[in-house]
Amino acid sequence: MLDASSAARAGIAALAIDGPFHGDRADAGAGPLDYQERVAVEGARTLHDRMSEDWMHVLAAAAESGWVDEQRVAFLG
């Protein structure tokens, strides 16, 4: 399995971006069911659109900095 650490050891750039309500973007003290409830309230399509927008902004910034070739990227997750 390829994870960020394995990718880095192989010389592959890796970015880990928390989606809305995930990881560092989760509310303090939120439990596992809080995530499901928030997805239901916001709507899966809206949440997906937000996550896609986040990824595209990060990819553009990484490409602009010269850190990655935006024509040679993949998504894993």
Side-chain angles (χ1 to χ4, degrees):
M1 182 171 124
L2 182 65
D3 60 11
S5 296
S6 299
R9 283 192 299 275
I12 299 169
L15 297 167
I17 304 169
D18 289 333
F21 322 130
H22 290 86
D24 288 341
R25 293 174 73 179
D27 290 335
L33 294 180
D34 293 328
Y35 169 77
Q36 298 298 331
E37 182 178 330
R38 293 186 76 180
V39 169
V41 168
E42 183 160 340
R45 170 55 71 184
T46 301
L47 188 61
H48 178 269
D49 290 347
R50 283 179 60 197
M51 291 172 74
S52 297
E53 187 175 311
D54 288 350
W55 274 98
M56 297 309 293
H57 284 293
V58 170
L59 177 57
E64 186 177 313
S65 73
W67 195 58
V68 299
D69 176 352
E70 65 185 323
Q71 301 301 313
R72 299 178 64 199
V73 298
F75 173 82
L76 176 68

